[in-house]
Structure formats: C-alpha cells, structure tokens
Amino acid sequence: MRISSRGRGEEGRERITLVPENVDDLWHLSHVLESGDLVSGDTTRRIQRDDDQMRDTGGQREHMHVTISVGDVEFARFANRLRVGGEIVGCSREDQLGHHHTLNVEEHDEVTIEKHFKPDQIDRIEEAEEAAENPDVVIATVEEGEAHIHTVAQYGTEERFSFTAPTGKGEYARPRSELFAELGKALSRMDVDAIILAGPGFTKQDARDYVAENHPDVAEKMTVVDTSSVGDRGVHEVLKRGAVDEVQTQTRISKEADLIDDLMEGIATGEKVAYGIEAVAEAAEFGAVETLLVLDERLREERQGQGDWDVDVNEVIQSVERQGGDVAVFSSEFDPGRQLKNLGGIAAILRYRLQ
C-alpha cells in the first residue's frame, strides 16, 4: 500500500489518499470500508444523451471523477478488484449526483477515503504500507563462484548484493567457504521474516549447511528451492513457482497460529483466557486483556450492524487499547481464523484469571 496524502475532511472525518499495489492491499481495504464512508476515484460511466435515447444506443461511456457514499463492498478475489457501490454524492458532472454507481478499484488505482477511522483500521493501512517499504522476504541464489541476494517488495524485486569468488582449481581459485561466508554475513544483516535459497545442483545445500553452522538464526528462516539459474533468471524461476507467495502466506499464518495455540492451550488447562463476546467484554472491563483476538469477517459484520452481539465491539477494542492491551485482527482466510470463528469470532489472552 502506498499512502499519497493524509488530511482532514468535513465533520471531523480523516481523509487518506492511497494506492493499493497488490491484491492483498485490495483485500485489506475491503475490511476498512464501511457503509456511509466516502470514497473518491476516477471511473467511467455510461451517459445517456437525448439523441442516444432516440436511437436506443445505450449511451456512451465518459471518464469522470466521482465521490460515492459507500453502500456495499465486495472483494472480487478472482477478478483482482474491489467493487465499492453506493450513491454518487460528488461528481465532475452534476447531472449524475444521486445516481448509484460502482467503483471498480484495481491494483495501482488511486482512491481517496474519507471517514472516521477506527484505530485498528489505521493500523491495518499503515502495516500494509510498511510491508511495501520493508520487504519481508529475500531470495538468495547461489552456484559455484557466485551468489546474489534480491529483496522482494510489493512493487517487484531488486538486487541488493552480488558476490563472485572463483572456486575450483587455478591461480585465482578461492575456497567455497569464502563465498558462503560473504553470503551468510550479508543475510545476517537483513531484517526479514523469510529467506528463499535457490540455485542449481548441490551448491545451495552446501551453502545452507555453512550458514546453519555459522548463522543458525538465519538458517531457521531458510527455504531451499531448485532453480536452473541464479541472479535475475533464478529469481524469475522462484517467483514463477509461487514460492514467495507461499512463504509470505505461511509467515502471516504462523503469527496468528502462535496466538491461537496459546489460546487453545489456555482453554485446555483453564488458564488466563476468555472467549465469546460476553466473557471477553467482561475481561476488557476489568482491564485483564493482554491480547484481544478478533476475526476480521465478524468485526466487519458487527460494525455494519449485521451481527448479533449485544456488546459494541468498538467499545471492547477501545477499552483494551486504553489499558495497554494488544489487538490482533485475524484473517478469516486461514486456519487460525477458522478456529477463532468456531469460538465465536472473538477471544482474549488474559493477564490474570478472572475466576
């Protein structure tokens, strides 16, 4: 996510202009937008002219800038777009005001959102922005005599390091360990969640063994993948095989899985946990919540007035944050989120037992 600007709108609303840079960003936005929010962007709309009506041509499409009051939001995963429908409340053509329109937001489309943002919604946008600026995955490719390190960001890949060290026989040959040492040292300085080590033959496994012996913390983040090339071509092979997507997904899941494991262990042993809206709300009232776990899908339903909780979930979240607790919004797309759904969509890890 790229945030272009931030400011104040009318009636105390905050205005954020941003650009979603991948499908993940569109998905994040689907959980930020709510009924009544104002969303502005460029679009096309079919305009019926008098002569068109006479000939029944259906009108012509014109480019225009619109602001709509959000009525419904749909994340079309397989179309790679976010559909935001509602009434046009601002438009470069006044005759279109009051009509219904659907903005199809795709990757790299700039949109402006004006609303009373809740803290977790701002956190979600800022975390998506940070993910774009700070790559969480690197691809290291290695073969005899050379190694490369590429960072993987939401906007593409970039080579950060390249090493050459002729190995084998001859006057200028160097031990393989020198190449592996440079590779390991460079990787140890990079603050990333996962490393994909790729290349042809057995050299990559020898490199991994060296790193495991000298930089065990780095080796723990490594996944080994076979490719026929190194450098840019090797990186292309890794991306084509979907290895990066798999690693990034597993990294996100692992963070949620750790929390759900702690929760389930607490349920099994009767220790410092709560689940279900009533129990969690009570724990929040007493300031006992260390980490609040809430499902994004359920959170959205409650905020849209489509849920059945008797407690205002926003008040629970605000209470937890005021008293120094953390809030983790789980994705309904992954197994930890499905486990949380089975527990009512909300739970908490507590600082102390209430009973």
Side-chain angles (χ1 to χ4, degrees), residues 22-56:
N22 57 29
V23 177
D24 275 354
D25 290 344
L26 296 174
W27 177 72
H28 285 309
L29 289 181
S30 73
H31 289 284
V32 168
L33 294 175
E34 302 170 277
S35 294
D37 294 347
L38 301 180
V39 178
S40 305
D42 292 324
T43 187
T44 61
R45 184 170 171 81
R46 192 176 298 279
I47 304 299
Q48 190 82 46
R49 302 180 184 278
D50 292 340
D51 56 344
D52 290 335
Q53 291 174 350
M54 295 291 292
R55 293 177 301 184
D56 193 24

Side-chain angles (χ1 to χ4, degrees), residues 111-170:
V111 293
T112 297
I113 302 171
E114 187 174 313
K115 63 177 291 177
H116 296 286
F117 285 92
K118 300 174 180 68
D120 62 280
Q121 294 170 338
I122 291 292
D123 289 344
R124 190 166 199 146
I125 291 174
E126 290 178 347
E127 286 170 6
E129 180 188 32
E130 184 178 344
E133 296 174 351
N134 302 312
D136 56 3
V137 178
V138 300
I139 301 174
T141 54
V142 60
E143 65 177 354
E144 290 294 341
E146 64 176 296
H148 308 265
I149 297 176
H150 286 69
T151 55
V152 181
Q154 296 186 353
Y155 53 81
T157 62
E158 179 184 358
E159 185 174 85
R160 298 290 293 275
F161 301 99
S162 180
F163 313 101
T164 57
T167 57
K169 299 179 181 180

